Amino acid sequence: MSSTLSRFRIRRPYFNALQIPCGHPGCKRFFKTPAGRTKHRHAAHPNILPSPAIPPGPSGSSPCSQFYEPDEMGEGFEGSGDGESPPSSTSEIETEFYGHGDRLYRNYHTKLNACPCDKQGKFLPQNAPPQPNDSNPDDWTPYDERLQFETAELLFTRCEMSVEQINVLLDLWAASLLKYGDSPPFASARHMYKTIDDTPLGDVKWQKFGVQYTGDVPQVNPPPWMSQTFEVWFRDPRSVIHRILGNADFANEMDLRPFREYSSDEGDRQYKDFMSGDWAWDQADIISKDAGTHGSTFVPVVLGSDKTTVSVATGNNEYYPLYASIGNVRNHVRRAHNDALVLIGFLAIPKTTKEHASDTAFRKFRRQLFHSSLATILGSLKPAMTKPEVVRFGDRHYRRVIYGLGPYIADYEEQALLACIVHGWCARCQANRANLDVDALRRCREHTELLFQESTLSVLWDNYGIVGDLVPFTNDFPRADIHELIAPDLLHQLIKGTFKDHLVDWVGDYLKATHGTRDAERIMDDIDRRIAAVAPFTGLRRFPQGRGFKQWTGDDSKALMKVYIAAIEGHVPPEIVRTFRAFLEFCYLVRRNVISEQALKEVADTIHRFHLYREIFKTTEIVTTFSLPRQHSIKHYPSLIRLFGAPNGLCSSITECKHIRAVKKPYRRSSKYKALGQMLLTNQRLDKLAASRVEFGSRGMLDGTCLSATILAIAQACPVPPPDASEPAIANTKTGEEAEQPALAGTASLLTYYIVAFTERKRARTIPELATELAVPLLPDLIRRFLFGQLYPEDPRDASQIPLAGCPRFEGRISTFNSASTRFYAPSDLSGIGGMQTEFIRSAPMWRGEGPRLDCVFVGTNTNDPKDTGMRAYDIARVLSFFSFSYRAVTYPCAVVRWFNKIGDDPDEDTGMWMVRPGFRPNKTPWIDIIHVDTIYRAAHLLPIYGTKFVSLDIKPWHSYDAFRAFYVNKYADHHAFEIAS
């Protein structure tokens, strides 16, 4: 019996070690299988070449020509290089060409030009090398080896394991190593925590100070808050900023000099990262009046704060985090939620009894506590705001640094607190709260101080909206004006404020006022069905029940913006639709990664149209006034963009996302009792692990993986002798996906732009089978005409005009696929740091067990007119199937598509979107064709033109493209679609 059982015992698979090197120069990654190496090569080392099949984008160049930009010009300088004074330029402006093809040029500030120096602050000669890295490449202190560091990082940062789980894992690990006489990297969770705490890197200690009321206290029944001490926890912002400046990961992602960027063709100025704005340049002009600052690096300190709730169920626990960043870091790095934005404090939240909560004295104390706390926390930066200090940067150069208070990221309530204004007034201009949209002068520190001298507190409050008995924290720092430093806030001002809280609610009020409550509810139900019936699209959030949910998030509002305008059309007047169009176009324009002066003219036009068409809500008595601070903020965006660059680098969504890592997750990991101290310790450990990764990575100690590094070390210590020629060679036993596949001719384009997914086993394997599956009887004829076009591209005749007998015949096997992926340059969207975005296009007969999903795509047209941009350069098609086949040793990746025809020569005037409808051939059959995947640019999203009819409950998202006769090309699907579908 035992022998019988042993025959059927399941063999335990062996661990397949990483043993196949990448092979790309400079890459030290290893892989288990050739298939894994191939996938890595396509993702990490793409061989990107321009494709003539893809038409030029809106800027007039192929989208793929913008995939990679060369490194910026060096920070070199002209001068004697004697080490005593900063090198200077003979001209007032230094100009350098920048970007791909020298299409841009930058004028750099000549006085604050970030000259390298030594540790003592003496400037170095031109092209002097950086200071050598004196760190030992084998020093893992306080860790014993790489395995120990990566284990700590995995368990604490990535998996967020509890103490009990870590101890159980280490016990199991020890049990597996006991027979070998070895032990796991840590003895216990306590040992791991102590090792992390001993890390010298990133060690910026938390400190605290107490604040107490010092004014007059009533003799009888004094309020309890007057005797309380409120604690403020903080970290030295100066040390934190030194960490950011010295981060090697940011060495090539910083702008060290203020600059102004222009197009080489039209001379049109454009705004991108923070240092491209006027504010940084103007501050440099002011600072450089002192000759002792010449050659320094201006570092604007960007601040942000916002209350957040971690647990409503256990007592509404609130925290008030304060964050800091620097303006030199580029916007896409700050948006990546990396260590470019750092938690530096927890502000106090004074609370008292309900009896005293509305007291004027308590409210004044609470406001002044906020400003006094900020002034105290930022005090260490003040000396270096007038006299430079020496700091080491990530490129290993030392530079003189001079700080300045930069923009403050905050929502409106926080802006009113910062600017010391009455709620309902504007923090930037002096427009009266009763009519905010009139032209008015901007607020400034000098004007406010003059009003203090000439007016009473009541006059300041009533006539100017100023809380006169408060002193802004910026008054303690040089060159700081809080009214100028209020940053634009895309999330709370535009998305949550104007769109969700104003426009969407006004539509509901309009429907009730026009149709009555009962009919309005029927219409709102139909709008919800329209939203739910929208076809799926990659990255588009679904609303199965419409918008009828109670708690909105910022992501919910962003997703609804993409489909709402088509859902309400037909139920509301054209003026309301045009109001939404103007507002959405404004949002997408100001959300761009790069904003030119021409784009700012378009922004001004959208503001004008928005103000014009929104009047319908006033004439129908839905609203009585448009003096709403969040909506009024739209007026200031053109000037704010000129000051601070593209607003997407200063949006409060950055700090909101940071709440998760810095506040919410550490709170969940705590015992919930006196949680703040535990949260501070968690954040400190996270920072130490992050700093260690940066430091070890800069030394080249983290190349490859831990396993590949161990294998390499063993191979170097014990080299394997060459095989004996008398011994037979071991055959390669890898099969299937593990076997290395030879490169096929004609697949370079496929790998560059399109990576087809795994072959589906249940799909068609021949053209007749695919014709039956798709119900396209003429598919064999279409593939013959497709082959003619591929084999004879110079033939001027259209393939459809060629007699079928003159087309090559194909009767071989095919591979059918359910999806494909495309990579394109979309820096304005949530993409990688390099601006690259990968998108999947689906063509599946069954998607998530619900129904078919056949996505639509943008296809490059055959026009040779370089003036054709946007939708004029593309056609719309629906992908019925992806497949590939080989003919004469050439592989052709293809797609069976159904074409759509454009309706009209221009977009719809109300929605701003192009309209299309399914195309038909002259014999009234659907216009179906076969195209090469290289002609596909990216996925397109279509919204049905619903009209005035109510949508049936039976229509599901997978029915959308079949159930309606005409569609809008949704340019609001994402920011890249807005660029190419306008």
Side-chain angles (χ1 to χ4, degrees):
M1 178 66 70
S2 59
S3 60
T4 304
L5 289 176
S6 63
R7 289 171 52 200
F8 296 95
R9 185 174 298 160
I10 298 176
R11 179 179 297 175
R12 184 177 67 179
Y14 290 101
F15 180 77
N16 192 3
L18 299 171
Q19 52 189 334
I20 304 176
C22 169
H24 189 276
C27 184
K28 298 182 179 180
R29 290 283 302 275
F30 283 75
F31 302 91
K32 298 179 181 180
T33 64
R37 177 180 63 178
T38 302
K39 183 177 180 181
H40 161 75
R41 285 176 176 175
H42 297 334
H45 315 297
N47 182 22
I48 294 181
L49 301 171
S51 174
I54 297 183
S59 62
S61 64
S62 171
C64 298
S65 67
Q66 305 175 40
F67 275 5
Y68 296 108
E69 294 180 351
D71 294 338
E72 288 189 33
M73 299 294 182
E75 303 294 333
F77 45 79
E78 305 261 343
S80 60
D82 56 4
E84 299 296 333
S85 60
S88 59
S89 174
T90 57
S91 62
E92 293 297 325
I93 296 176
E94 292 182 7
T95 301
E96 293 180 357
F97 284 97
Y98 172 80
H100 181 73
D102 289 345
R103 293 180 301 165
L104 305 170
Y105 67 91
R106 289 180 172 183
N107 292 336
Y108 286 95
H109 202 279
T110 57
K111 300 297 176 28
L112 266 63
N113 52 359
C115 297
C117 62
D118 58 18
K119 291 183 180 181
Q120 289 71 41
K122 294 184 179 180
F123 292 104
L124 299 177
Q126 183 179 7
N127 298 326
Q131 298 294 318
N133 194 341
D134 53 2
S135 300
N136 184 355
D138 296 324
D139 182 12
W140 291 95
T141 305
Y143 306 96
D144 295 335
E145 56 182 350
R146 177 174 180 172
L147 175 63
Q148 198 177 45
F149 164 69
E150 293 205 7
T151 299
E153 186 183 44
L154 174 68
L155 299 183
F156 190 83
T157 303
R158 302 183 187 179
C159 299
E160 301 177 359
M161 277 192 180
S162 65
V163 172
E164 294 80 4
Q165 291 173 329
I166 294 174
N167 286 331
V168 170
L169 176 64
L170 293 175
D171 286 346
L172 296 174
W173 200 338
S176 67
L177 297 176
L178 193 60
K179 56 187 175 183
Y180 302 108
D182 205 349
S183 60
F186 297 102
S188 63
R190 178 176 294 182
H191 176 210
M192 186 186 79
Y193 288 153
K194 185 179 184 303
T195 305
I196 298 174
D197 293 337
D198 291 341
T199 304
L201 301 169
D203 189 13
V204 183
K205 299 293 184 183
W206 283 94
Q207 310 170 51
K208 71 173 181 178
F209 60 85
V211 182
Q212 191 173 14
Y213 177 74
T214 58
D216 297 332
V217 180
Q219 297 293 332
V220 181
N221 295 327
W225 63 267
M226 289 187 174
S227 58
Q228 287 180 304
T229 299
F230 301 96
E231 291 184 346
V232 178
W233 287 86
F234 74 101
R235 292 191 291 180
D236 180 16
R238 178 171 167 269
S239 301
V240 169
I241 292 172
H242 286 187
R243 272 187 49 202
I244 299 175
L245 292 173
N247 193 321
D249 289 349
F250 302 153
N252 297 320
E253 298 293 347
M254 284 190 183
D255 295 310
L256 303 182
R257 295 182 288 173
F259 64 90
R260 291 170 176 168
E261 188 170 283
Y262 300 86
S263 167
S264 301
D265 298 330
E266 298 89 11
D268 190 24
R269 186 177 176 184
Q270 61 182 30
Y271 305 88
K272 184 180 179 182
D273 299 306
F274 181 80
M275 298 298 280
S276 68
D278 288 336
W279 185 85
W281 190 284
D282 294 341
Q283 289 288 303
D285 283 343
I286 297 172
I287 295 170
S288 61
K289 291 179 180 179
D290 179 3
T293 64
H294 292 184
S296 301
T297 304
F298 176 48
V299 178
V301 180
V302 179
L303 300 171
S305 61
D306 183 29
K307 293 180 183 177
T308 184
T309 302
V310 295
S311 175
V312 177
T314 58
N316 195 27
N317 293 312
E318 286 185 310
Y319 292 97
Y320 207 161
L322 175 68
Y323 303 102
S325 182
I326 57 175
N328 310 86
V329 174
R330 293 170 186 162
N331 288 350
H332 62 260
V333 178
R334 196 180 300 112
R335 293 204 315 268
H337 314 305
N338 210 325
D339 291 329
L341 182 74
V342 183
L343 177 70
I344 65 169
F346 281 95
L347 304 177
I349 306 178
K351 293 184 179 180
T352 187
T353 60
K354 294 181 179 179
E355 178 185 357
H356 302 98
S358 58
D359 288 352
T360 302
F362 175 71
R363 295 168 66 183
K364 176 184 175 182
F365 169 74
R366 187 172 56 188
R367 292 173 182 147
Q368 195 60 61
L369 171 63
F370 173 80
H371 287 276
S372 300
S373 300
L374 288 178
T376 303
I377 292 173
L378 301 173
S380 63
L381 296 173
K382 191 172 181 179
M385 289 184 175
T386 52
K387 183 178 180 180
E389 67 174 1
V390 179
V391 179
R392 189 171 189 177
F393 283 63
D395 61 358
R396 296 185 296 161
H397 272 300
Y398 287 93
R399 292 181 177 87
R400 296 182 182 181
V401 165
I402 188 160
Y403 303 113
L405 288 187
Y408 202 111
I409 304 172
D411 59 15
Y412 175 73
E413 284 73 17
E414 197 96 352
Q415 291 178 2
L417 177 61
L418 285 163
C420 301
I421 62 167
V422 181
H423 194 277
W425 291 72
C426 177
R428 294 195 60 86
C429 72
Q430 302 178 39
N432 192 284
R433 65 183 300 176
N435 191 5
L436 286 176
D437 285 337
V438 298
D439 293 334
L441 298 175
R442 75 172 184 88
R443 295 182 185 271
C444 64
R445 177 175 171 176
E446 293 79 7
H447 180 257
T448 302
E449 291 177 349
L450 182 62
L451 289 175
F452 285 160
Q453 302 174 9
E454 302 295 333
S455 303
T456 62
L457 293 180
S458 61
V459 172
L460 290 174
W461 184 285
D462 295 333
N463 295 347
Y464 298 97
I466 297 175
V467 183
D469 50 0
L470 292 179
V471 180
F473 77 96
T474 51
N475 284 19
D476 291 347
F477 298 92
R479 307 181 307 276
D481 184 350
I482 189 58
H483 303 296
E484 186 181 43
L485 298 180
I486 299 296
D489 183 8
L490 298 171
L491 178 62
H492 290 92
Q493 290 173 344
L494 303 184
I495 298 168
K496 285 187 174 182
T498 303
F499 177 74
K500 181 183 79 71
D501 293 339
H502 299 161
L503 296 180
V504 173
D505 288 348
W506 292 353
V507 168
D509 295 339
Y510 171 84
L511 293 174
K512 290 180 180 180
T514 305
H515 302 280
T517 302
R518 187 177 182 84
D519 288 341
E521 289 176 350
R522 288 181 58 249
I523 295 174
M524 292 299 295
D525 287 341
D526 184 61
I527 292 175
D528 288 340
R529 287 195 295 271
R530 292 179 174 191
I531 295 172
V534 168
F537 182 73
T538 302
L540 180 66
R541 181 168 297 195
R542 293 279 305 280
F543 295 96
Q545 306 301 324
R547 57 170 296 273
F549 45 91
K550 294 181 179 179
Q551 186 171 357
W552 284 56
T553 65
D555 289 336
D556 292 330
S557 299
K558 293 175 187 176
L560 189 63
M561 289 173 66
K562 301 175 181 181
V563 299
Y564 193 70
I565 189 171
I568 64 173
E569 190 194 23
H571 289 314
V572 297
E575 291 82 1
I576 292 181
V577 177
R578 294 188 180 193
T579 301
F580 275 89
R581 173 193 173 180
F583 175 73
L584 291 176
E585 289 179 348
F586 169 83
C587 291
Y588 280 78
L589 286 170
V590 299
R591 179 59 176 74
R592 282 179 176 175
N593 190 53
V594 178
I595 303 174
S596 64
E597 283 290 347
Q598 178 59 37
L600 286 178
K601 294 179 182 178
E602 298 176 22
V603 169
D605 177 65
T606 59
I607 295 174
H608 170 74
R609 289 189 282 117
F610 176 69
H611 288 167
L612 174 66
Y613 292 121
R614 72 175 179 178
E615 288 293 327
I616 188 174
F617 292 110
K618 184 179 287 187
T619 57
T620 54
E621 300 182 351
I622 304 303
V623 296
T624 57
T625 180
F626 293 122
S627 290
L628 305 166
R630 291 179 180 86
Q631 202 167 129
H632 163 73
S633 67
I634 292 175
K635 281 192 62 175
H636 296 303
Y637 270 73
S639 60
L640 288 170
I641 291 169
R642 292 186 174 97
L643 278 178
F644 301 139
N648 62 9
L650 298 173
C651 179
S652 62
S653 60
I654 300 174
T655 54
E656 293 253 352
C657 288
K658 194 70 175 180
H659 287 341
I660 298 173
R661 179 181 181 272
V663 183
K664 296 181 183 294
K665 285 187 176 181
Y667 177 80
R668 297 185 195 122
R669 297 171 69 167
S670 71
S671 67
K672 313 298 187 296
Y673 175 71
K674 294 184 178 180
L676 182 57
Q678 302 168 58
M679 294 162 62
L680 299 179
L681 182 59
T682 298
N683 274 285
Q684 187 164 339
R685 287 169 175 166
L686 289 171
D687 289 339
K688 288 187 174 185
L689 286 168
S692 298
R693 170 158 284 278
V694 171
E695 178 63 22
F696 296 155
S698 66
R699 301 180 201 166
M701 298 163 62
L702 295 177
D703 292 340
T705 64
C706 186
L707 179 58
S708 65
T710 303
I711 293 173
L712 186 62
I714 294 175
Q716 291 175 348
C718 304
V720 179
D724 190 349
S726 61
E727 297 182 1
I730 300 177
N732 182 7
T733 59
K734 296 183 180 296
T735 60
E737 293 180 2
E738 295 185 357
E740 182 71 66
Q741 298 294 330
L744 297 176
T747 60
S749 242
L750 173 66
L751 299 179
T752 299
Y753 301 109
Y754 243 79
I755 303 174
V756 180
F758 299 109
T759 303
E760 296 298 325
R761 296 180 179 178
K762 297 182 181 180
R763 299 293 302 275
R765 295 303 181 92
T766 64
I767 291 297
E769 290 177 2
L770 185 59
T772 303
E773 179 182 314
L774 302 179
V776 183
L778 295 179
L779 192 63
D781 297 344
L782 295 178
I783 198 169
R784 295 178 67 180
R785 298 189 187 279
F786 167 78
L787 273 175
F788 180 88
Q790 296 294 313
L791 296 175
Y792 308 103
E794 303 299 329
D795 195 308
R797 296 173 296 175
D798 188 89
S800 60
Q801 302 173 354
I802 305 299
L804 195 59
C807 299
R809 183 184 298 274
F810 174 77
E811 296 178 349
R813 296 181 65 83
I814 64 172
S815 299
T816 311
F817 309 96
N818 279 353
S819 64
S821 66
T822 179
R823 299 182 69 210
F824 51 89
Y825 185 69
S828 296
D829 287 286
L830 292 177
S831 53
I833 287 183
M836 299 301 299
Q837 180 166 320
T838 300
E839 178 182 66
F840 283 92
I841 303 172
R842 313 288 181 180
S843 181
M846 182 58 65
W847 176 252
R848 294 179 176 175
E850 295 178 335
R853 177 172 172 180
L854 307 176
D855 289 348
C856 295
V857 292
F858 291 99
V859 181
T861 62
N862 294 323
T863 178
N864 293 321
D865 190 350
K867 296 180 181 180
D868 284 346
T869 58
M871 271 297 294
R872 289 182 174 83
Y874 298 99
D875 287 323
I876 302 297
R878 188 183 184 191
V879 180
L880 305 182
S881 179
F882 288 112
F883 73 98
S884 67
F885 66 95
S886 295
Y887 183 79
R888 296 180 181 176
V890 177
T891 299
Y892 295 96
C894 310
V896 183
V897 299
R898 179 173 184 182
W899 293 106
F900 285 78
N901 292 329
K902 296 174 185 174
I903 303 175
D905 298 327
D906 293 291
D908 176 56
E909 292 185 358
D910 293 337
T911 63
M913 295 184 285
W914 285 80
M915 297 180 291
V916 295
R917 60 188 168 204
F920 291 88
R921 295 186 182 275
N923 59 358
K924 306 300 182 182
T925 59
W927 187 8
I928 296 176
D929 206 349
I930 296 177
I931 63 173
H932 198 287
V933 295
D934 280 359
T935 62
I936 298 176
Y937 186 23
R938 59 156 299 181
H941 188 232
L942 306 187
L943 297 172
I945 301 178
Y946 296 105
T948 58
K949 294 183 179 180
F950 282 59
V951 174
S952 171
L953 287 171
D954 297 331
I955 295 181
K956 304 301 181 183
W958 53 90
H959 298 147
S960 182
Y961 289 152
D962 297 315
F964 300 95
R965 297 181 178 179
F967 302 86
Y968 292 118
V969 181
N970 186 9
K971 70 176 184 179
Y972 307 114
D974 54 48
H975 295 278
H976 186 252
F978 182 80
E979 303 292 332
I980 66 175
S982 296

